[in-house]
Amino acid sequence: MATKQPPPLMKKHSQTDLVSRLKTRKILGVGGEDDDGEVHRSKISQVLGNEIKFAVREPLGLRVWQFVSAIIFSGVAIMALAFPDQLYDAVFEEELVNSKTPIRLYGGALLSISLIMWNALYTAEKIIIRWTLLTEACYFGVQFLVTSITLVESGRVAMGATLLLISRVVFVLISIYYYYQVGRRPKKV
């Protein structure tokens, strides 16, 4: 009983053929440059993205500034929640506080912002870092305006309020500086 052997399988050499490989890559849409000038090696890297593209080149001192901001926001929030009279007295140098509720609400809002600041400290996403820096700049700017208007209305200049105003201007400038530095496009090497 002779069994007939099947013919040997023919190996397809299309992947070794350079022209066929180039046609396949063109159909898949890989190998060429995209809008940002990046060459994707595979369809997976094209779909998922290149993590180097999203890595943020952090400006010098950014993480230190984020840490200091988170500490400032947390410290003032805890002080406003626990010791509203002392916080008001330290800024405006007057002991008359009609109600502690607005100062405690201020502390609650600051505590919420500080949680965002603490979480932004551990992220590498550029957009989150930029939004937290913009939030800081807006907060410090609004605080500057509110404190200035309060001082003009009261007609007195308190040393604590003056130091607060100066520090807020500095904090706005630092936050805006880092906001633009993080948003800057990296130079092509």
Side-chain angles (χ1 to χ4, degrees):
M1 242 200 316
T3 56
K4 190 173 179 185
Q5 294 287 334
L9 294 173
M10 297 291 288
K11 231 181 184 183
K12 200 170 184 182
H13 294 287
S14 64
Q15 287 302 316
T16 56
D17 182 18
L18 182 60
V19 174
S20 181
R21 280 181 45 205
L22 291 175
K23 284 180 183 177
T24 304
R25 291 179 70 77
K26 186 168 183 139
I27 290 170
L28 288 174
V30 294
E33 288 188 5
D34 62 2
D35 295 337
D36 295 330
E38 291 189 25
V39 178
H40 295 283
R41 305 278 181 229
S42 69
K43 195 67 179 175
I44 292 173
S45 72
Q46 187 177 10
V47 171
L48 295 178
N50 187 358
E51 66 184 46
I52 295 170
K53 178 180 177 182
F54 297 109
V56 178
R57 237 185 101 230
E58 296 176 353
L60 188 63
L62 173 67
R63 296 299 179 173
V64 173
W65 173 245
Q66 286 181 306
F67 182 70
V68 168
S69 294
I71 287 176
I72 290 171
F73 275 80
S74 299
V76 175
I78 291 169
M79 190 171 174
L81 288 169
F83 311 108
D85 294 333
Q86 289 80 2
L87 180 65
Y88 188 83
D89 183 42
V91 174
F92 295 107
E93 295 177 359
E94 55 182 67
E95 295 181 20
L96 180 63
V97 178
N98 295 335
S99 176
K100 295 178 184 180
T101 304
I103 298 171
R104 286 197 169 124
L105 286 172
Y106 166 74
L110 274 185
L111 191 62
S112 300
I113 294 173
S114 75
L115 292 174
I116 294 170
M117 299 298 163
W118 283 111
N119 284 322
L121 183 62
Y122 299 107
T123 188
E125 291 186 40
K126 187 172 167 177
I127 193 72
I128 293 174
I129 294 171
R130 289 193 81 206
W131 271 106
T132 55
L133 290 167
L134 186 61
T135 300
E136 285 179 52
C138 290
Y139 166 76
F140 290 135
V142 168
Q143 189 178 30
F144 177 83
L145 290 173
V146 168
T147 307
S148 299
I149 291 169
T150 304
L151 288 175
V152 168
E153 286 176 349
S154 71
R156 293 184 309 136
V157 177
M159 186 61 171
T162 305
L163 289 174
L164 181 74
L165 290 176
I166 292 169
S167 69
R168 292 317 175 222
V169 169
V170 171
F171 292 166
V172 165
L173 293 175
I174 292 171
S175 295
I176 289 174
Y177 168 76
Y178 282 124
Y179 176 80
Y180 283 112
Q181 289 299 314
V182 170
R184 221 176 45 172
R185 287 190 173 260
K187 295 176 183 173
K188 299 261 181 173
V189 179

